[in-house]
Amino acid sequence: MRFSALKILKEALTGHKGWQPMWRDPVPQAEYDYVIVGGGGHGLATAYYLAKEFGQARIAVLEKGYLGGGNVGRNTTIIRSNYLLDGNEPFYEFSLKLWEGLEQDFNFNAMVSQRGILNLIHTDAARDAATRRGNAMLLNGADAELLTRDQVRAMYPWLNFDNARFPIKGGLLQRRGGTVRHDAVAWGYARGADMRGVDLIQNCEVTGLRIEGGRIRGVDTTRGHIGARKVGVAVAGSSGKVMSYAGMRLPIESHVLQAFVSEGLKPFIDGVMTFGAGHFYVSQSDKGGLVFGGDIDGYNSYAQRGNLPVIEDVIEGGMALMPAIGRARLLRTWGGIMDMSMDGSPIIDKTHVDGLYFNGGWCYGGFKATPASGWCFAHLLARDEPHKTAAAYRFDRFLRGAMIDEKGQGAQPNLH
Amino acid sequence: MIINHPILGPRDAAEFVYLGDAALINRPDGMTASVETFHDYLYLRDNPAGEHRELWYHEQGDRSWLVVTRNTVTHEITKVELARDVARAQGRSK
């Protein structure tokens, strides 16, 4: 369905009876060339780019619930490319460039807002690290600016600059970072894929992978068997479950991450900000709510809800940074299931089964990666070789000792 | 979550540090195991949705290691053992 000002006017005058569904609700066919398991952001983007950029046809996306009902509808909507390591930064910069052209590309308003992301600096060592990170970003064609304390004060005069333990000494600013209307990303990709003939099949849970002679033949689902020449799995927190159908154990644990929204307040945070001393990040939505989060709970979970100690910890971080929010009330908290990889970086790779491909391990950073993840996964599916920006995201990096440990924390999922 | 410590009784899970799957007790012999065996031990996980036996360390308490049997879908804890007892029952000396 297409939208226009004329159409809105016509519908307003005729009782809004002419609106059509945004995408078809097709019956699964017996066989496809490509079956994408998972109708979230990454799966939908993969199908969209497979059809649009790689000219492929006979594609289906299988979703166990409804489109965009998983983490793409549960995140804190931040986009950025402020990474340090060579394995990561070109990929995330590619993703940010795709975000910048996304709305024109799929002709849908995703409210991409490049309002800037500011990482605060609290110590001399942190300034050194931020300088290094900023230089790495610049070398990879991203933008980065090191701000002094006074420059940060000009942006956010009400921050707690003189906190005795964690005084604010500056910041690393990426002006091209920002936020996006997360649900609209799923909807835009879904509509774009549907318009190019991709079958989006909802309420269709994959219950098994049909493998014969080391080659994928299709998937068993709650709506029957569906044959496939190639199967791409992009199911985030359910990665371990789906890949176990192929006998695989993954370098991934599923953890719960909580997020928070306050009551609506008048505009006072116009960008995205991260507290470098604790783990706390915040932006203000267009409706006025403060959208914020912090660490994962830290234990294996599939529950999509967390526990109170982490809520307390996150809000303590917020209060340390900006005491002004002390009287704001918390409106909602929720949890999503993160596919936490061992080194904190993702995997986009083939598997030991011919025609079976995996995309996962996004930890709590999958949203910003959505366009590039879809593009690179489509590249791998269509051409059987990794996209150049995702070449490091391989299963065997743990065996080779080539981990991409952005935080330098070691191979332990709940430390990333 | 409340972890019912076998010695100290019910304790808040916030007093503990989480390590992961209790299968980590079964570390391969470093002198004989292959690189692939150690890779699998270090990096690969079953990651089940449902019952999960896992290692928790009572850092803010008596510094014991526990094996907690917990449901990862409901967070319900059904069994708590001292990791020492579990390891010894598997034939380890300590």
Side-chain angles (χ1 to χ4, degrees):
Chain A
M1 187 179 62
R2 290 182 172 276
F3 301 92
S4 67
L6 195 65
K7 173 98 171 153
I8 291 171
L9 189 64
K10 176 171 171 268
E11 291 299 329
L13 295 172
T14 55
H16 292 286
K17 291 181 180 131
W19 297 113
Q20 300 290 318
M22 292 248 284
W23 44 80
R24 298 166 294 129
D25 183 20
V27 174
Q29 295 174 25
E31 193 183 30
Y32 293 93
D33 283 346
Y34 297 93
V35 163
I36 311 299
V37 184
H42 292 221
L44 293 167
T46 303
Y48 173 80
Y49 290 122
L50 256 182
K52 179 167 183 286
E53 302 296 334
F54 296 91
Q56 302 299 311
R58 302 206 330 134
I59 304 164
V61 176
L62 311 184
E63 165 56 44
K64 72 175 175 182
Y66 60 93
L67 295 181
N71 289 345
V72 74
R74 309 177 78 82
N75 60 76
T76 43
T77 79
I78 296 165
I79 60 169
R80 58 185 174 89
S81 68
N82 51 2
Y83 282 74
L84 171 70
L85 299 179
D86 289 342
N88 277 331
E89 180 58 15
F91 173 85
Y92 286 102
E93 178 54 22
F94 177 47
S95 199
L96 192 52
K97 287 197 169 73
L98 289 174
W99 282 117
E100 288 174 322
L102 183 67
E103 291 163 307
Q104 294 302 313
D105 188 67
F106 64 24
N107 188 26
F108 195 78
N109 181 12
M111 297 166 66
V112 176
S113 167
Q114 293 183 285
R115 55 184 71 182
I117 178 164
L118 175 67
N119 303 129
L120 294 171
I121 295 166
H122 308 274
T123 63
D124 290 343
R127 185 187 289 110
D128 289 347
T131 306
R132 183 179 174 216
R133 178 183 297 258
N135 283 333
M137 292 161 65
L138 294 173
L139 286 170
N140 283 291
D143 65 306
E145 292 170 48
L146 199 64
L147 303 187
T148 63
R149 176 186 168 96
D150 287 343
Q151 286 172 300
V152 174
R153 200 188 279 278
M155 292 172 73
Y156 300 110
W158 40 264
L159 286 177
N160 190 5
F161 283 87
D162 300 315
N163 182 310
R165 180 69 181 83
F166 298 117
I168 295 169
K169 298 202 164 193
L172 181 66
L173 176 66
Q174 183 176 33
R175 292 190 192 275
R176 288 163 61 242
T179 61
V180 180
R181 172 81 176 93
H182 54 337
D183 292 315
V185 176
W187 300 334
Y189 277 126
R191 189 182 75 136
D194 178 77
M195 283 162 56
R196 286 169 178 79
V198 174
D199 281 357
L200 308 174
I201 300 163
Q202 305 180 67
N203 299 310
C204 181
E205 182 170 0
V206 169
T207 56
L209 299 169
R210 193 77 65 88
I211 297 162
E212 290 168 13
R215 180 156 189 93
I216 196 85
R217 298 291 177 194
V219 296
D220 295 319
T221 77
T222 50
R223 295 177 68 172
H225 176 75
I226 299 172
R229 201 165 59 80
K230 292 183 176 180
V231 173
V233 176
V235 295
S238 301
S239 293
K241 187 177 175 190
V242 174
M243 297 313 282
S244 74
Y245 301 144
M248 290 180 73
R249 296 170 76 223
L250 303 177
I252 287 173
E253 289 178 1
S254 294
H255 285 249
V256 60
L257 174 70
Q258 302 190 68
F260 311 83
V261 173
S262 78
E263 61 185 326
L265 304 169
K266 287 188 176 179
F268 80 120
I269 303 176
D270 59 358
V272 183
M273 195 181 349
T274 72
F275 182 35
H279 193 171
F280 175 83
Y281 58 89
V282 62
S283 65
Q284 190 168 17
S285 78
D286 293 346
K287 288 189 286 187
L290 302 181
V291 183
F292 58 97
D295 279 319
I296 57 174
D297 271 37
Y299 44 82
N300 286 47
S301 175
Y302 286 87
Q304 290 196 325
R305 60 184 165 75
N307 276 295
L308 289 169
V310 171
I311 296 179
E312 187 175 21
D313 183 60
V314 170
I315 290 172
E316 279 173 358
M319 282 298 291
L321 179 64
M322 32 190 220
I325 65 168
R327 291 175 67 185
R329 281 166 296 192
L330 197 60
L331 194 65
R332 287 184 286 134
T333 75
W334 66 95
I337 303 308
M338 309 295 114
D339 35 343
M340 298 299 298
S341 67
M342 289 291 157
D343 59 357
S345 294
I347 293 160
I348 304 176
D349 203 359
K350 303 174 188 179
T351 68
H352 69 285
V353 177
D354 282 345
L356 178 64
Y357 303 80
F358 177 73
N359 178 343
W362 292 98
C363 302
Y364 39 73
F367 179 71
K368 76 179 88 67
T370 304
S373 167
W375 187 297
C376 294
F377 201 32
H379 187 285
L380 180 69
L381 282 159
R383 299 192 180 162
D384 267 317
E385 57 189 48
H387 187 269
K388 64 179 192 296
T389 65
Y393 295 154
R394 313 292 285 272
F395 276 115
D396 67 1
R397 68 174 183 262
F398 300 99
L399 191 57
R400 290 185 290 114
M403 279 178 284
I404 312 169
D405 187 355
E406 187 75 27
K407 285 173 77 177
Q409 297 273 43
Q412 176 65 23
N414 62 356
L415 295 182
H416 295 291
Chain B
M1 290 186 294
I2 301 291
I3 295 174
N4 197 6
H5 193 297
I7 298 169
L8 301 176
R11 309 299 306 178
D12 192 317
E15 294 176 4
F16 293 78
V17 173
Y18 179 82
L19 182 65
D21 196 317
L24 291 169
I25 290 175
N26 305 313
R27 184 169 58 211
D29 185 338
M31 303 304 286
T32 58
S34 66
V35 171
E36 286 75 16
T37 305
F38 249 104
H39 163 267
D40 292 358
Y41 167 80
L42 271 174
Y43 299 118
L44 302 187
R45 298 287 185 268
D46 288 338
N47 194 24
E51 191 171 277
H52 190 225
R53 295 183 80 218
E54 53 203 19
L55 287 163
W56 292 73
Y57 175 60
H58 199 191
E59 188 179 47
Q60 306 294 322
D62 70 343
R63 305 210 163 184
S64 58
W65 283 93
L66 304 183
V67 173
V68 176
T69 305
R70 190 178 59 95
N71 189 313
T72 58
V73 177
T74 63
H75 294 168
E76 184 191 11
I77 293 169
T78 48
K79 193 173 181 184
V80 184
E81 305 153 273
L82 287 172
R84 184 178 63 196
D85 296 343
V86 173
R88 280 178 180 157
Q90 291 172 359
R92 288 266 296 272
S93 60
K94 57 183 178 180

